[in-house]
Amino acid sequence: MRKKLRWMPLILLLAMLPICVAAQESAAANPDEVPAVQSKAAVVMDAATGRVLFAQQAHERLPVASTTKIMTALLTLEQDGLDTYFTVDSAAIQVEGSSMGLRAGDSVSLRALAAGMLLASGNDGANAAAVRIAGSQRAFAARMNQRAAELGMKDTHFVTPSGLHDPLHYSSAYDMALLAREALQNPAFAALCGQSKLVVQYGNPPYDRWLSNHNRLLREYQGAIGVKTGFTKAAGRCLVSCAQREGVRLIIVTLGCPDDWNTHRRLYDWYFARLQLQTPELPALALPVVGGQQRKVTLEAQALPQVALLAGETVTFNWELPQFVYAPVKQEQVLGWLALRVDGQSIEEVALTACEAVDAVEKQGFFSRLFRLA
């Protein structure tokens, strides 16, 4: 009986082998299809424009675990006096889960706390920053929700700075991509979340501490630059990542994905291989000018962006212009707006300005006009 039991793992492995081979053959047979994503929710977003390239249950409200700390760290790094040291609140740092190792009486700066959140995923660091900034965790959560509303995160409600599970604490894959896009535009945030390891100072008195980033992609995937991992039993594995190649920057979010590292790698490989940066060609535009020395003024778009496109995709334009303008018109005067769209999604809005100045026709009295006619 014991001999039979010893052979059971091998028998099960051999039985599953055809299934694995079939799955690989199926994937290889459809190289043009986006890789399958075994996740509760997922989004692939072009960071430059905010365009969603892939969506799976993108707006479903789900627990997001420690990816919450993207918001907490962003608000922390937007404060004044980032490098001013203070004593941590002893009650705030008494929290379960991952920690950056804060103890009662420790001196720390807000920048060091942000590093502890983004690299070591310190729940103690998130709580300490919240109390320092807003006076309490509840007051800080109100700030988090206010900022979320400003960013258009319509399926988000924060309760804790750390992301520890609470039934009323949730977000969505799309909202977390929006948040990551905003956070990466903060230089201090981008610098911290892209570090595999970092030395910061805190303690009583402060001394050097090595922090290691939980984000394996920073070490294992070429072009990875962030952002944040997360895990609780309720949320499962959550990962918000960002990578860039040849001018294209992508943000990927998976919530409740058991194979998140490999899923992000496959999605990055697929999209980086197919996206190309292109500069849209704007059609000729002009406006009639009333009372001007020229009958019309030509228009140009200011700072027309490059757009990452898949094969077969094109940029379309919608413009808002008046029927005419009155002279005088100044060169580079804003006369309208141009909206760029790809696949029905608005990706950019730029100003339409005058290419040249148009002077007004000089007004003349009756006798001046009579003399000129004569």
Side-chain angles (χ1 to χ4, degrees):
M1 184 66 180
R2 291 181 179 178
K3 290 183 178 179
K4 289 182 179 179
L5 290 175
R6 284 200 299 266
W7 284 99
M8 283 300 294
L10 180 58
I11 294 171
L12 290 172
L13 180 61
L14 292 173
M16 293 177 64
L17 188 59
I19 299 174
C20 297
V21 172
Q24 291 177 351
E25 290 177 350
S26 175
N30 299 288
D32 293 331
E33 293 184 3
V34 180
V37 177
Q38 302 301 321
S39 176
K40 293 180 181 177
V43 158
V44 179
M45 177 180 285
D46 175 13
T49 63
R51 180 164 75 105
V52 174
L53 302 170
F54 173 87
Q56 179 173 296
Q57 301 297 110
H59 297 282
E60 183 175 351
R61 296 178 174 183
L62 295 167
V64 292
S66 284
T67 60
T68 297
K69 296 186 180 83
I70 298 174
M71 177 64 86
T72 306
L74 175 61
L75 293 179
T76 298
L77 292 168
E78 290 176 342
Q79 305 302 308
D80 294 329
L82 286 179
D83 298 307
T84 300
Y85 276 75
F86 60 93
T87 303
V88 297
D89 183 274
S90 57
I93 62 174
Q94 302 301 317
V95 58
E96 62 180 305
S98 54
S99 168
M100 61 182 288
L102 292 172
R103 296 182 178 181
D106 279 357
S107 292
V108 68
S109 67
L110 288 177
R111 192 185 304 274
L113 289 177
M117 295 178 227
L118 293 174
L119 278 79
S121 198
N123 293 337
D124 51 353
N127 285 359
V131 172
R132 171 68 174 180
I133 294 168
S136 69
Q137 295 180 51
R138 178 176 295 182
F140 187 80
R143 293 195 185 189
M144 296 169 74
N145 290 319
Q146 179 181 354
R147 188 58 180 279
E150 293 170 357
L151 294 176
M153 299 170 65
K154 298 179 180 179
D155 296 300
T156 296
H157 183 260
F158 294 117
V159 176
T160 70
S162 63
L164 285 176
H165 183 65
D166 186 287
L168 297 179
H169 187 104
Y170 55 81
S171 187
S172 67
Y174 176 75
D175 282 3
M176 294 307 295
L178 283 182
L179 175 59
R181 183 177 181 235
E182 175 73 12
L184 287 167
Q185 295 177 35
N186 181 299
F189 183 98
L192 288 177
C193 77
Q195 298 292 325
S196 295
K197 291 185 178 181
L198 188 66
V199 176
V200 295
Q201 294 78 35
Y202 55 92
N204 186 16
Y207 61 94
D208 286 355
R209 309 284 191 97
W210 275 100
L211 299 177
S212 295
N213 202 319
H214 293 180
N215 185 357
R216 285 171 40 187
L217 293 179
L218 293 173
R219 297 179 292 275
E220 298 176 2
Y221 191 82
Q222 180 183 358
I225 59 172
V227 178
K228 186 71 187 75
T229 62
F231 173 80
T232 62
K233 289 183 179 179
R237 296 185 62 86
C238 300
L239 179 58
V240 179
S241 72
C242 183
Q244 59 186 15
R245 286 187 189 174
E246 298 180 1
V248 177
R249 176 180 286 195
L250 300 178
I251 294 168
I252 298 180
V253 179
T254 52
L255 303 178
C257 181
D259 191 26
D260 51 5
W261 305 118
N262 290 323
T263 297
H264 283 233
R265 289 189 189 96
R266 287 192 294 267
L267 288 170
Y268 280 128
D269 286 345
W270 196 91
Y271 280 101
F272 280 138
R274 289 163 175 79
L275 286 168
Q276 291 188 340
L277 283 175
Q278 298 182 32
T279 302
E281 293 185 9
L282 182 66
L285 294 174
L287 270 179
V289 179
V290 175
Q293 294 184 2
Q294 299 171 208
R295 292 186 175 182
K296 64 180 180 179
V297 59
T298 55
L299 305 176
E300 65 180 356
Q302 292 293 318
L304 203 61
Q306 285 189 310
V307 181
L309 298 174
L310 296 168
E313 290 184 327
T314 58
V315 178
T316 58
F317 304 99
N318 291 328
W319 45 78
E320 294 182 9
L321 292 170
Q323 293 183 346
F324 57 85
V325 292
Y326 290 100
V329 177
K330 296 180 180 179
Q331 188 175 6
E332 297 186 356
Q333 179 180 336
V334 176
L335 299 176
W337 294 91
L338 177 74
L340 283 68
R341 302 178 69 86
V342 177
D343 194 26
Q345 296 185 61
S346 179
I347 60 171
E348 192 78 32
E349 189 173 88
V350 297
L352 289 170
T353 60
C355 291
E356 67 278 336
V358 179
D359 294 329
V361 175
E362 184 179 350
K363 293 183 179 180
Q364 298 177 344
F366 173 76
F367 290 105
S368 297
R369 292 198 300 272
L370 184 62
F371 180 78
R372 182 179 293 275
L373 288 172

